[in-house]
Amino acid sequence: MSSNVGLSTPRGSGTSGYVQRNLSHLRARDAIAPYPTDLDSIKHRARQPDAAILAHDRARAVEVQVFELRDRLEDEEVDEDEIDAQTAALRRRLTAEMEGAKKTAAAASGRGLKAHQVHERAAAKIEESERLRKALGIREDYEEGAHWRRGEERLREGVAAGEGGKGGKEGR
C-alpha cells in the first residue's frame, strides 16, 4: 500500500486490500453562494400554467369520453355510420361545455388534483390567490415591503431636511 492508505497488509482481513474512492461523496463548492443575492429572485412568483397543456388536457378528457362511447357502441354492434354520428354529437356537446365552463369544480378548488397535474394545480393556486387578494382588499399593484420603504424614505427626507436647517446653527 502506498502513502498509508488502507490496510498495511491485507493478510487476515478477508479482503484483497484494494482501496476504492467513494464516488457518492459530495464535495463542498465554495464558489457558489448558498442563497441568492439579488432581491428579485427571492420574491415569490406563482408558477404560470401553460395554456397549451391545459387545453390539451381538456381536449384529451373529451376524447376519452368519445372513445368510451365508441367502444361501447362497437360492443353493441351498432352501425358504423350511427357510431360516427353519435360520437360527433358527443364531441360537439362536450367541446361546447368545455368552452363554457373552462374549469371543473376540482380544478377550481385545487382539491382532487394529482401530483402530476402541475399546470392545473398552478392555475388553481393563482385563482385561489386572486380570490384571497380580492377578499382582503389588496390592490393588484401591491408590492410586498413597500410600506417599510415609504417609511424609510420619509425618515431620510426628514433627516436631510433637518441637516439642511441645522447647518447654520451648529457653527454658533
Side-chain angles (χ1 to χ4, degrees):
M1 292 264 99
S2 62
S3 59
N4 285 340
V5 176
L7 302 170
S8 59
T9 177
R11 292 173 64 193
S13 67
T15 66
S16 67
Y18 181 74
V19 177
Q20 292 183 342
R21 188 170 55 128
N22 184 358
L23 298 176
S24 65
H25 177 70
L26 299 174
R27 284 179 261 166
R29 299 181 195 173
D30 295 333
I32 300 173
Y35 50 86
T37 56
D38 58 334
L39 295 176
D40 289 335
S41 66
I42 296 173
K43 289 172 62 176
H44 172 71
R45 290 189 180 89
R47 179 180 181 148
Q48 296 298 317
D50 190 353
I53 291 176
L54 292 174
H56 172 78
D57 286 343
R58 287 190 298 266
R60 186 176 183 278
V62 167
E63 290 301 318
V64 165
Q65 291 182 3
V66 168
F67 182 76
E68 288 172 352
L69 174 67
R70 175 176 285 280
D71 191 39
R72 192 182 75 229
L73 292 175
E74 286 175 353
D75 287 343
E76 295 172 1
E77 298 178 1
V78 177
D79 185 39
E80 188 67 31
D81 294 334
E82 182 63 26
I83 291 174
D84 290 338
Q86 287 188 20
T87 56
L90 178 65
R91 185 178 288 118
R92 281 193 302 272
R93 184 174 57 84
L94 291 175
T95 304
E97 288 175 7
M98 179 183 73
E99 291 299 321
K102 283 285 188 187
K103 293 178 186 170
T104 62
S109 68
R111 292 192 174 98
L113 294 173
K114 306 272 192 261
H116 67 277
Q117 295 175 309
V118 292
H119 294 276
E120 290 88 348
R121 290 173 60 193
K125 184 63 177 176
I126 289 172
E127 181 66 29
E128 178 188 4
S129 296
E130 192 64 23
R131 276 196 320 264
L132 183 63
R133 183 190 62 76
K134 287 178 181 177
L136 296 176
I138 299 172
R139 296 186 323 260
E140 286 189 44
D141 62 342
Y142 174 77
E143 186 176 333
E144 189 175 337
H147 172 74
W148 299 110
R149 270 196 297 279
R150 283 193 299 259
E152 289 174 359
E153 289 171 3
R154 280 191 228 119
L155 183 62
R156 283 190 208 123
E157 290 172 1
V159 169
E163 289 177 357
K166 291 181 184 177
K169 293 180 183 178
E170 287 179 337
R172 292 184 194 170

